[in-house]
């Protein structure tokens, strides 16, 4: 459906592997507040990352198809406004590159009948030049009437894993840009939103949220990609996931709270050890910075409420909340 292309410079940069994910680096230059409020007209920023190099949070945009930057004082600027990005979703920063999911829920200023609910791509930008270096088409890898690339996880060897919320599939993209289906399973199906947030665990597996089912699943990369439900949890309709100090921070409750989830048996089972419900409203996902979790209040509920009438999407006030 779309063209996949690469630049030779990217093969050199990524071929050595993602030795460190910037989302989890310490920033030596700033003391972070408990809350960052920012103004960005009609941004609706579904994804958040942090770049120590830029000393900024990076936020995506469902409605604008761009990437913005927010400093700790709440100053927002457009960072990348590429024509290829229809609706930017999950975003990560690692080793001088920005990785972002490209989708189309039909509410972007760039939406077309050909792309709406049919788009799942991985785009990679150079953090220094801000130029697009790779565009990997994923929706052609799995036959489904609907697609939505939602979130991504990075493995240290350069492999990227991408969830599709409208098709029951997780994609795999190698460090050289080859896309494939990692797993597909009816467990990931949903009449509304299926797979959502995803993280890579250094013990060699993925943890993924199935929003519609309210469950977390483990995909064991060292055991033929075996899928198992993380047991003993209550219903947990998760959105974004972030792993910090072996605990998983799950945005849940339709974006009204963040749950700190812990496992003592390598994620066969888990339990909620703490829930923070102060300062969250229509939140989507989070990022680890300076040993703390910061969650994006993205006004995500307005997106579903405005389907069919995008003129309703006019919000400009957003915030980033620290987990306490």
């Amino acid at each position: 459906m779309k063209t996949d292309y690469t630049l030779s410079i990217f093969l050199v940069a990524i071929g050595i592997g993602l030795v460190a994910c910037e989302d989890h680096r310490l920033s030596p230059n700033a003391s972070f507040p408990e809350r960052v409020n920012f103004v960005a007209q009609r941004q609706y920023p579904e994804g958040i990352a942090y770049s120590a190099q830029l000393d900024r949070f990076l936020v995506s945009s469902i409605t604008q198809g761009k990437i913005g930057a927010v400093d700790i004082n709440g100053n927002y600027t457009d960072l990348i406004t590429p024509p290829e990005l229809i609706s930017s979703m999950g975003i990560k920063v690692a080793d001088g590159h920005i990785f972002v999911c490209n989708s189309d829920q039909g509410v972007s200023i760039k939406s077309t009948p050909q792309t709406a609910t049919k788009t799942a791509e991985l785009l990679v930008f150079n953090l220094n030049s801000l130029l697009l270096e790779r565009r990997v088409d994923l929706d052609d890898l799995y036959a489904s009437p609907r697609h939505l690339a939602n979130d991504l996880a990075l493995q240290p060897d350069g492999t990227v894993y991408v969830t599709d919320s409208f098709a029951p599939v997780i994609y795999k993209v190698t460090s050289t840009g080859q896309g494939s289906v990692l797993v597909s399973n009816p467990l990931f199906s949903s009449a509304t939103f299926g797979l959502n947030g995803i993280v890579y665990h250094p013990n060699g597996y993925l943890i993924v949220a199935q929003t519609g089912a309210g469950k977390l699943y483990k995909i064991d990369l060292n055991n033929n990609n075996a899928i198992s439900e993380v047991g003993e949890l209550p219903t947990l309709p998760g959105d974004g996931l972030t792993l910090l100090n072996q605990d998983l921070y799950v945005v849940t409750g339709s974006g009204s709270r963040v749950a700190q989830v812990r496992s003592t048996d390598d994620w066969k089972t888990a339990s909620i050890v703490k829930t923070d419900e102060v300062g969250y409203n229509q939140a989507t996902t989070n990022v680890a910075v300076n040993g703390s979790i910061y969650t994006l209040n993205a006004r995500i509920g307005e997106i579903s409420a405005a389907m069919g009438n995008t003129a309703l999407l006019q919000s400009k006030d957003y915030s980033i909340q620290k987990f306490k």
Side-chain angles (χ1 to χ4, degrees):
M1 184 170 69
K2 296 172 284 294
T3 302
D4 173 21
Y5 64 91
T6 61
L7 298 180
S8 59
I9 187 173
F10 187 70
L11 293 174
V12 174
I14 292 300
I16 62 174
L18 294 170
V19 295
C21 179
E22 257 203 50
D23 283 350
H24 299 272
R25 286 182 184 161
L26 298 180
S27 173
N29 303 318
S31 175
F32 284 72
E34 290 192 353
R35 188 177 181 90
V36 177
N37 297 300
F38 66 97
V39 174
Q41 186 64 42
R42 300 190 70 240
Q43 185 80 11
Y44 292 94
E46 199 275 348
I48 185 171
Y50 179 78
S51 169
Q53 177 178 324
L54 299 179
D55 198 16
R56 300 287 190 275
F57 290 99
L58 302 188
V59 294
S60 61
S61 175
I62 294 175
T63 56
Q64 306 296 302
K66 60 185 178 181
I67 297 171
V70 182
D71 68 18
I72 62 169
N73 297 312
N75 298 306
Y76 171 88
T77 55
D78 286 343
L79 185 68
I80 305 175
T81 57
E84 296 87 355
L85 260 181
I86 302 170
S87 183
S88 51
M89 302 285 285
I91 182 172
K92 293 286 187 295
V93 175
D95 293 314
H97 290 87
I98 303 169
F99 300 76
V100 61
C101 293
N102 188 27
S103 297
D104 187 359
Q105 290 177 261
V107 296
S108 171
I109 59 174
K110 304 175 189 177
S111 295
T112 68
Q114 291 73 36
T115 60
T117 71
K118 299 178 178 65
T119 302
E121 293 183 332
L122 173 68
L123 272 60
V124 186
F125 298 87
N126 186 289
L127 188 58
N128 294 305
S129 68
L130 303 181
L131 295 177
L132 178 65
E133 289 190 348
R134 171 163 290 162
R135 183 179 183 182
V136 183
D137 183 23
L138 301 171
D139 48 70
D140 283 344
L141 299 173
Y142 185 85
S144 173
R146 302 173 77 232
H147 288 281
L148 182 81
N150 189 308
D151 200 10
L152 67 155
L154 305 177
Q155 188 171 313
D157 67 357
T159 305
V160 185
Y161 301 97
V162 179
T163 58
D164 193 322
S165 295
F166 290 167
V169 61
I170 298 173
Y171 306 103
K172 174 182 177 180
V173 180
T174 68
S175 61
T176 57
Q178 182 177 356
S180 63
V181 171
L182 177 75
V183 287
S184 61
N185 195 289
L187 291 171
F188 300 155
S189 297
S190 174
T192 53
F193 251 64
L195 295 178
N196 207 320
I198 185 171
V199 296
Y200 172 79
H201 194 284
N203 287 353
Y205 50 82
L206 304 170
I207 303 172
V208 63
Q210 214 285 35
T211 304
K215 297 180 179 180
L216 297 178
Y217 288 99
K218 173 181 174 180
I219 296 92
D220 191 343
L221 302 174
N222 296 323
N223 186 25
N224 200 31
N225 303 325
I227 301 169
S228 58
E229 180 183 343
V230 178
E232 300 185 10
L233 283 170
T235 300
L236 192 66
D239 193 335
L241 309 178
T242 295
L243 193 66
L244 176 64
N245 298 329
Q246 300 303 310
D247 284 351
L248 190 67
Y249 293 80
V250 183
V251 179
T252 186
S254 298
S256 64
R257 58 186 179 270
V258 177
Q260 182 180 359
V261 182
R262 183 173 298 165
S263 175
T264 58
D265 57 7
D266 219 23
W267 293 94
K268 297 180 180 66
T269 63
S271 61
I272 298 174
V273 297
K274 183 179 179 180
T275 301
D276 187 5
E277 300 182 358
V278 179
Y280 305 99
N281 182 30
Q282 300 185 61
T284 49
T285 191
N286 40 34
V287 61
V289 187
N290 283 2
S292 297
I293 294 293
Y294 288 85
T295 299
L296 177 65
N297 288 313
R299 296 183 176 270
I300 192 64
E302 296 179 19
I303 294 292
S304 56
M307 289 297 180
N309 187 5
T310 56
L312 297 174
L313 297 173
Q314 298 296 329
S315 292
K316 60 183 178 62
D317 297 310
Y318 305 93
S319 59
I320 301 167
Q321 177 66 43
K322 181 180 180 179
F323 184 90
K324 298 183 295 295

